[in-house]
């Protein structure tokens, strides 16, 4: 009986310690936001999260332009990529920039959760 109790404790401790989110191997990016613009067909807008030049999540916005994405971080930073040119945006955190081709919002190192209150794209 004592052996069974010890074995149960070992299994539980191992299970719960393997789910720790502080481990860098478990880091995730979480993004939510809203896309706006004139004459937009939201079904034709692709939104991707990229980390280490790899797609880690993809979605299309709702008919109201809202979206939520989450994916595993492959390095310390990530970006939000659209197939429409980005005019401007507002976000819950500072330091984000638009890429030179205006198709990507670069999120600085250290941020893993961000809300884009509004992303204005070209028609």
């Amino acid at each position: 009986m004592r052996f069974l109790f010890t074995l149960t404790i070992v299994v539980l401790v191992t299970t719960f310690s393997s789910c720790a989110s502080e481990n860098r191997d478990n880091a995730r990016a979480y993004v939510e936001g809203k896309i706006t613009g004139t004459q937009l067909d939201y079904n034709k807008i692709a939104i991707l999260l990229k980390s280490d030049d790899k797609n880690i999540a993809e979605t299309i916005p709702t008919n109201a332009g809202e979206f939520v994405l989450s994916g595993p971080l492959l390095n310390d930073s990530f970006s939000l990529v659209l197939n429409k040119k980005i005019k401007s945006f507002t976000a819950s955190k500072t330091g984000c920039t638009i890429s030179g081709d205006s198709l990507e919002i670069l999120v600085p190192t250290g941020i893993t959760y961000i809300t884009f209150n509004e992303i204005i794209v070209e028609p």
Side-chain angles (χ1 to χ4, degrees):
M1 184 66 130
R2 184 176 169 111
F3 175 74
L4 184 58
F5 178 75
T6 305
L7 182 61
T8 303
I9 295 296
V10 169
V11 169
L12 287 174
V13 168
T14 305
T15 301
F16 288 119
S17 66
S18 67
C19 295
S21 62
E22 294 100 26
N23 187 341
R24 175 66 183 111
D25 296 334
N26 295 335
R28 294 185 66 79
Y30 183 85
V31 178
E32 59 183 305
K34 182 172 181 156
I35 296 175
T36 62
T38 57
Q39 301 174 352
L40 294 179
D41 182 357
Y42 292 113
N43 293 320
K44 294 183 179 178
I45 297 177
I47 307 168
L48 295 95
L49 281 184
K50 287 180 92 172
S51 180
D52 201 22
D53 290 326
K54 293 180 178 75
N55 293 346
I56 57 172
E58 182 175 356
T59 192
I60 60 171
T62 66
N63 288 337
E66 297 170 343
F67 65 91
V68 175
L69 282 167
S70 179
L73 282 175
L74 303 177
N75 65 22
D76 291 334
S77 63
F78 66 96
S79 61
L80 182 76
V81 182
L82 279 72
N83 62 345
K84 291 265 190 196
K85 290 205 177 222
I86 302 164
K87 286 183 178 180
S88 64
F89 68 92
T90 58
S92 62
K93 306 217 172 140
T94 60
C96 297
T97 57
I98 298 176
S99 66
D101 63 3
S102 299
L103 295 173
E104 197 168 357
I105 298 175
L106 309 170
V107 179
T109 300
I111 295 176
T112 57
Y113 176 83
I114 189 164
T115 300
F116 290 100
N117 302 314
E118 182 177 42
I119 300 173
I120 302 172
V121 296
E122 296 180 4

